[in-house]
Amino acid sequence: MPEIEAIGGWIKDADAGLDRSYRRLEQIGRLDPERLRYFEDYRSRYFNDRLMSGQGAEEILAALRDHGGRPAHWIDLGAGVTTLFWSIGLAAAPGEVSVCDLVPEALHVLAAFKDGDETPPCYRDAMVLVGRSEAEFEALRRRPWTYHVFDCLQPWPAGPGRAGGHGLISAIGCFGLSPDAGRYAGAFAAAAANLAPGGRFIGADWVRSGLLIDREGHDNRYVSPALTAACAERAGLSTLALARVPIAGDPYYDSVTVWAFGRAG
Protein backbone atom coordinates (compact mmCIF):
# COMPACT_ATOMS: atom_id res chain seq x y z
CA MET A 1 0.00 0.00 0.00
CA PRO A 2 1.47 3.43 -0.82
CA GLU A 3 2.57 5.75 1.93
CA ILE A 4 -0.31 7.92 3.17
CA GLU A 5 -0.12 10.78 5.61
CA ALA A 6 -2.51 10.19 8.50
CA ILE A 7 -4.96 13.05 8.01
CA GLY A 8 -8.41 11.74 8.74
CA GLY A 9 -7.90 8.23 10.01
CA TRP A 10 -9.23 6.95 6.69
CA ILE A 11 -7.64 4.67 4.11
CA LYS A 12 -9.11 5.08 0.65
CA ASP A 13 -10.83 1.96 -0.70
CA ALA A 14 -8.78 2.07 -3.86
CA ASP A 15 -5.62 1.72 -1.78
CA ALA A 16 -6.90 -0.62 0.86
CA GLY A 17 -8.31 -3.76 -0.80
CA LEU A 18 -10.52 -4.26 2.25
CA ASP A 19 -12.50 -7.40 3.04
CA ARG A 20 -16.12 -6.39 3.67
CA SER A 21 -17.30 -9.67 5.18
CA TYR A 22 -18.46 -9.43 8.82
CA ARG A 23 -15.96 -10.71 11.37
CA ARG A 24 -15.06 -10.24 15.00
CA LEU A 25 -11.61 -8.79 15.53
CA GLU A 26 -10.38 -11.93 17.29
CA GLN A 27 -11.22 -13.92 14.13
CA ILE A 28 -8.75 -11.93 12.04
CA GLY A 29 -5.53 -13.80 11.34
CA ARG A 30 -2.82 -11.66 9.80
CA LEU A 31 -2.94 -7.88 10.15
CA ASP A 32 -1.29 -5.54 7.65
CA PRO A 33 1.78 -3.98 9.34
CA GLU A 34 1.65 -0.83 7.20
CA ARG A 35 -1.99 -0.18 8.11
CA LEU A 36 -1.10 -0.77 11.75
CA ARG A 37 1.60 1.90 11.48
CA TYR A 38 -0.83 4.24 9.75
CA PHE A 39 -3.43 4.07 12.52
CA GLU A 40 -0.90 4.20 15.33
CA ASP A 41 0.55 7.29 13.67
CA TYR A 42 -2.92 8.81 13.43
CA ARG A 43 -3.65 8.09 17.11
CA SER A 44 -0.35 9.49 18.32
CA ARG A 45 -0.53 12.52 16.03
CA TYR A 46 -4.12 13.64 16.61
CA PHE A 47 -5.20 12.11 19.94
CA ASN A 48 -2.10 12.40 22.06
CA ASP A 49 -1.21 16.05 22.78
CA ARG A 50 -3.33 18.74 24.45
CA LEU A 51 -6.93 19.10 23.28
CA MET A 52 -7.14 21.61 20.44
CA SER A 53 -10.06 24.00 20.78
CA GLY A 54 -12.20 25.02 17.83
CA GLN A 55 -12.06 21.65 16.05
CA GLY A 56 -15.47 20.35 17.16
CA ALA A 57 -14.35 18.09 20.01
CA GLU A 58 -15.96 20.26 22.68
CA GLU A 59 -19.34 20.19 20.95
CA ILE A 60 -19.22 16.42 20.37
CA LEU A 61 -18.27 15.68 23.98
CA ALA A 62 -21.07 17.99 25.15
CA ALA A 63 -23.61 16.21 22.91
CA LEU A 64 -22.57 12.86 24.38
CA ARG A 65 -22.70 14.22 27.93
CA ASP A 66 -26.03 15.99 27.55
CA HIS A 67 -27.89 13.48 25.37
CA GLY A 68 -26.16 10.11 25.72
CA GLY A 69 -28.47 9.03 28.52
CA ARG A 70 -27.80 5.87 30.52
CA PRO A 71 -27.59 3.21 27.81
CA ALA A 72 -27.54 -0.48 28.62
CA HIS A 73 -25.58 -0.88 25.40
CA TRP A 74 -23.53 1.53 23.28
CA ILE A 75 -22.33 0.78 19.75
CA ASP A 76 -19.77 3.09 18.12
CA LEU A 77 -19.70 3.06 14.30
CA GLY A 78 -16.64 3.85 12.20
CA ALA A 79 -14.69 3.93 15.42
CA GLY A 80 -11.16 4.10 14.06
CA VAL A 81 -8.93 4.57 17.10
CA THR A 82 -11.03 7.10 19.03
CA THR A 83 -13.88 5.35 20.90
CA LEU A 84 -12.12 5.57 24.26
CA PHE A 85 -11.68 9.32 23.82
CA TRP A 86 -15.36 9.91 23.01
CA SER A 87 -16.42 7.67 25.88
CA ILE A 88 -15.21 10.42 28.21
CA GLY A 89 -18.24 12.47 27.18
CA LEU A 90 -20.80 9.98 28.45
CA ALA A 91 -22.38 11.05 31.72
CA ALA A 92 -23.07 7.43 32.63
CA ALA A 93 -21.04 4.37 31.68
CA PRO A 94 -22.93 1.98 29.37
CA GLY A 95 -23.44 -1.59 30.45
CA GLU A 96 -21.88 -2.97 27.27
CA VAL A 97 -19.79 -1.45 24.48
CA SER A 98 -19.49 -2.65 20.87
CA VAL A 99 -16.89 -1.01 18.64
CA CYS A 100 -17.14 -1.21 14.85
CA ASP A 101 -14.93 -0.36 11.90
CA LEU A 102 -14.26 -1.67 8.41
CA VAL A 103 -10.49 -1.76 8.96
CA PRO A 104 -9.36 -4.40 11.50
CA GLU A 105 -5.99 -2.72 11.97
CA ALA A 106 -7.73 0.39 13.32
CA LEU A 107 -9.60 -1.71 15.86
CA HIS A 108 -6.43 -3.54 16.84
CA VAL A 109 -4.67 -0.24 17.58
CA LEU A 110 -7.71 0.95 19.54
CA ALA A 111 -7.94 -2.28 21.55
CA ALA A 112 -4.25 -2.23 22.44
CA PHE A 113 -4.45 1.39 23.55
CA LYS A 114 -7.69 0.83 25.49
CA ASP A 115 -6.17 -2.14 27.35
CA GLY A 116 -3.00 -0.21 28.17
CA ASP A 117 -2.37 2.41 30.84
CA GLU A 118 -1.46 5.49 28.78
CA THR A 119 -3.67 8.55 29.32
CA PRO A 120 -2.63 11.28 26.86
CA PRO A 121 -3.03 14.98 27.72
CA CYS A 122 -6.05 15.44 25.44
CA TYR A 123 -7.89 12.73 27.39
CA ARG A 124 -7.21 14.54 30.64
CA ASP A 125 -8.36 17.81 29.07
CA ALA A 126 -11.58 16.14 27.95
CA MET A 127 -12.19 14.83 31.48
CA VAL A 128 -11.91 18.35 32.85
CA LEU A 129 -14.17 19.68 30.11
CA VAL A 130 -17.08 17.32 30.90
CA GLY A 131 -16.43 16.80 34.63
CA ARG A 132 -15.40 13.15 34.54
CA SER A 133 -13.00 11.83 37.18
CA GLU A 134 -10.00 9.67 36.38
CA ALA A 135 -11.56 6.88 38.44
CA GLU A 136 -14.69 6.99 36.27
CA PHE A 137 -12.56 6.95 33.14
CA GLU A 138 -10.52 3.98 34.33
CA ALA A 139 -13.67 2.07 35.26
CA LEU A 140 -14.99 2.44 31.71
CA ARG A 141 -11.58 1.64 30.25
CA ARG A 142 -11.37 -1.65 32.13
CA ARG A 143 -14.79 -2.91 31.04
CA PRO A 144 -14.75 -5.61 28.36
CA TRP A 145 -15.51 -4.33 24.86
CA THR A 146 -16.36 -6.30 21.73
CA TYR A 147 -14.84 -5.37 18.36
CA HIS A 148 -16.73 -5.87 15.10
CA VAL A 149 -15.32 -5.57 11.57
CA PHE A 150 -17.92 -4.45 9.03
CA ASP A 151 -18.78 -1.61 6.66
CA CYS A 152 -20.90 0.85 8.63
CA LEU A 153 -21.92 2.62 5.40
CA GLN A 154 -23.83 -0.46 4.21
CA PRO A 155 -26.86 -2.36 5.60
CA TRP A 156 -25.82 -4.04 8.80
CA PRO A 157 -24.95 -7.73 8.99
CA ALA A 158 -26.55 -9.80 11.73
CA GLY A 159 -23.41 -9.85 13.91
CA PRO A 160 -23.58 -6.41 15.57
CA GLY A 161 -27.38 -6.42 15.78
CA ARG A 162 -29.11 -6.61 19.14
CA ALA A 163 -32.62 -7.79 19.97
CA GLY A 164 -34.64 -4.70 20.80
CA GLY A 165 -31.96 -2.39 19.42
CA HIS A 166 -29.12 -0.38 20.95
CA GLY A 167 -29.63 2.24 23.65
CA LEU A 168 -26.94 4.49 22.19
CA ILE A 169 -25.52 4.54 18.67
CA SER A 170 -22.70 6.93 17.79
CA ALA A 171 -21.25 7.70 14.37
CA ILE A 172 -18.46 10.25 14.76
CA GLY A 173 -16.72 11.04 11.50
CA CYS A 174 -18.29 8.01 9.83
CA PHE A 175 -21.22 8.85 7.55
CA GLY A 176 -19.40 11.78 5.93
CA LEU A 177 -17.14 9.22 4.23
CA SER A 178 -20.11 8.24 2.04
CA PRO A 179 -19.58 9.08 -1.65
CA ASP A 180 -22.74 11.17 -1.91
CA ALA A 181 -25.85 12.35 -0.04
CA GLY A 182 -27.89 9.32 -1.09
CA ARG A 183 -25.39 6.89 0.37
CA TYR A 184 -25.15 9.05 3.48
CA ALA A 185 -28.93 8.78 3.91
CA GLY A 186 -28.77 5.01 3.41
CA ALA A 187 -26.07 4.58 6.06
CA PHE A 188 -27.99 6.79 8.49
CA ALA A 189 -31.20 4.79 7.93
CA ALA A 190 -29.42 1.45 8.40
CA ALA A 191 -28.05 2.57 11.75
CA ALA A 192 -31.29 4.22 12.91
CA ALA A 193 -33.14 0.96 12.25
CA ASN A 194 -31.05 -0.58 15.05
CA LEU A 195 -31.87 2.10 17.65
CA ALA A 196 -33.91 0.91 20.62
CA PRO A 197 -37.10 2.66 21.80
CA GLY A 198 -35.95 5.53 23.99
CA GLY A 199 -32.48 5.29 22.46
CA ARG A 200 -30.15 8.10 21.40
CA PHE A 201 -28.29 8.51 18.11
CA ILE A 202 -25.33 10.90 18.28
CA GLY A 203 -22.75 11.77 15.68
CA ALA A 204 -20.63 14.26 13.83
CA ASP A 205 -19.59 14.77 10.22
CA TRP A 206 -16.55 16.82 9.27
CA VAL A 207 -16.79 18.71 5.97
CA ARG A 208 -13.59 18.61 3.97
CA SER A 209 -11.77 21.64 2.65
CA GLY A 210 -10.94 22.12 -1.01
CA LEU A 211 -7.33 21.24 -0.21
CA LEU A 212 -8.21 17.81 1.19
CA ILE A 213 -10.76 17.18 -1.56
CA ASP A 214 -8.10 17.87 -4.20
CA ARG A 215 -5.62 15.71 -2.34
CA GLU A 216 -7.80 12.63 -1.76
CA GLY A 217 -10.62 13.01 -4.26
CA HIS A 218 -13.47 12.60 -1.78
CA ASP A 219 -15.84 15.59 -1.85
CA ASN A 220 -18.31 15.52 1.04
CA ARG A 221 -19.58 19.08 0.85
CA TYR A 222 -23.08 17.58 0.58
CA VAL A 223 -22.97 17.24 4.39
CA SER A 224 -25.18 19.78 6.17
CA PRO A 225 -27.51 20.07 9.16
CA ALA A 226 -30.43 20.07 6.69
CA LEU A 227 -29.40 16.69 5.26
CA THR A 228 -28.96 15.13 8.69
CA ALA A 229 -32.27 16.56 9.92
CA ALA A 230 -34.05 15.11 6.89
CA CYS A 231 -32.51 11.69 7.56
CA ALA A 232 -33.64 11.82 11.19
CA GLU A 233 -37.16 12.85 10.23
CA ARG A 234 -37.47 9.92 7.81
CA ALA A 235 -36.29 7.59 10.59
CA GLY A 236 -38.90 8.96 13.01
CA LEU A 237 -36.34 10.51 15.35
CA SER A 238 -36.69 13.75 17.30
CA THR A 239 -33.97 16.40 17.29
CA LEU A 240 -32.09 16.90 20.57
CA ALA A 241 -29.16 18.92 19.18
CA LEU A 242 -28.08 19.91 15.70
CA ALA A 243 -25.47 22.51 14.74
CA ARG A 244 -22.87 23.36 12.14
CA VAL A 245 -19.63 24.26 13.91
CA PRO A 246 -17.10 26.28 11.87
CA ILE A 247 -13.49 25.10 12.13
CA ALA A 248 -10.73 27.65 12.24
CA GLY A 249 -7.08 27.12 11.46
CA ASP A 250 -7.36 23.61 9.99
CA PRO A 251 -6.29 23.32 6.34
CA TYR A 252 -8.15 20.03 5.86
CA TYR A 253 -11.64 20.70 7.29
CA ASP A 254 -13.99 23.67 7.05
CA SER A 255 -16.74 22.70 9.52
CA VAL A 256 -18.30 19.86 11.46
CA THR A 257 -22.00 19.08 11.81
CA VAL A 258 -22.74 17.77 15.31
CA TRP A 259 -26.06 16.05 15.94
CA ALA A 260 -28.07 14.16 18.55
CA PHE A 261 -31.46 12.52 17.93
CA GLY A 262 -33.77 10.42 20.04
CA ARG A 263 -36.37 7.71 19.50
CA ALA A 264 -39.58 7.82 21.52
CA GLY A 265 -39.71 5.22 24.26
Side-chain angles (χ1 to χ4, degrees):
M1 188 176 71
E3 288 289 335
I4 308 171
E5 181 183 355
I7 296 172
W10 174 56
I11 295 178
K12 292 183 288 186
D13 290 353
D15 294 327
L18 297 170
D19 181 352
R20 281 173 163 71
S21 61
Y22 171 78
R23 292 155 294 162
R24 296 281 288 266
L25 181 60
E26 62 267 24
Q27 296 173 319
I28 306 293
R30 180 182 178 277
L31 295 170
D32 186 298
E34 190 163 354
R35 288 188 201 140
L36 288 171
R37 285 193 295 271
Y38 172 89
F39 284 104
E40 182 55 45
D41 178 44
Y42 177 78
R43 187 197 69 77
S44 62
R45 190 182 301 195
Y46 292 101
F47 285 83
N48 190 56
D49 209 338
R50 300 298 302 268
L51 184 65
M52 290 183 62
S53 62
Q55 305 296 301
E58 299 98 327
E59 289 82 3
I60 297 167
L61 289 166
L64 290 163
R65 178 195 62 203
D66 297 342
H67 305 294
R70 296 179 175 273
H73 191 275
W74 170 33
I75 185 167
D76 186 33
L77 306 178
V81 299
T82 61
T83 303
L84 186 62
F85 178 80
W86 300 120
S87 76
I88 295 169
L90 296 176
E96 301 175 34
V97 180
S98 295
V99 185
C100 311
D101 201 278
L102 174 60
V103 188
E105 288 81 4
L107 295 181
H108 178 85
V109 170
L110 171 61
F113 174 71
K114 182 256 184 191
D115 291 338
D117 56 9
E118 179 186 358
T119 306
C122 62
Y123 283 66
R124 298 186 187 278
D125 291 342
M127 289 181 225
V128 173
L129 189 66
V130 300
R132 179 181 286 278
S133 70
E134 281 203 43
E136 291 172 316
F137 171 70
E138 286 300 326
L140 178 58
R141 185 176 203 166
R142 299 309 168 198
R143 292 196 177 196
W145 290 10
T146 58
Y147 298 87
H148 306 261
V149 180
F150 76 97
D151 188 350
C152 304
L153 302 181
Q154 300 290 339
W156 288 23
R162 183 178 179 83
H166 299 273
L168 173 62
I169 299 176
S170 58
I172 300 168
C174 177
F175 296 158
L177 299 178
S178 300
D180 52 49
R183 291 282 294 278
Y184 179 104
F188 189 104
N194 286 275
L195 188 63
R200 304 299 174 87
F201 191 11
I202 299 174
D205 301 299
W206 279 267
V207 178
R208 294 179 164 217
S209 69
L211 175 65
L212 187 53
I213 292 167
D214 290 343
R215 182 171 183 164
E216 292 196 339
H218 174 58
D219 187 346
N220 73 344
R221 287 175 291 191
Y222 62 79
V223 169
S224 70
L227 171 63
T228 309
C231 291
E233 183 177 5
R234 284 193 291 270
L237 306 181
S238 60
T239 300
L240 305 172
L242 177 60
R244 175 187 175 275
V245 180
I247 291 178
D250 190 321
Y252 298 126
Y253 296 97
D254 289 337
S255 67
V256 57
T257 296
V258 182
W259 42 269
F261 302 107
R263 169 153 286 150

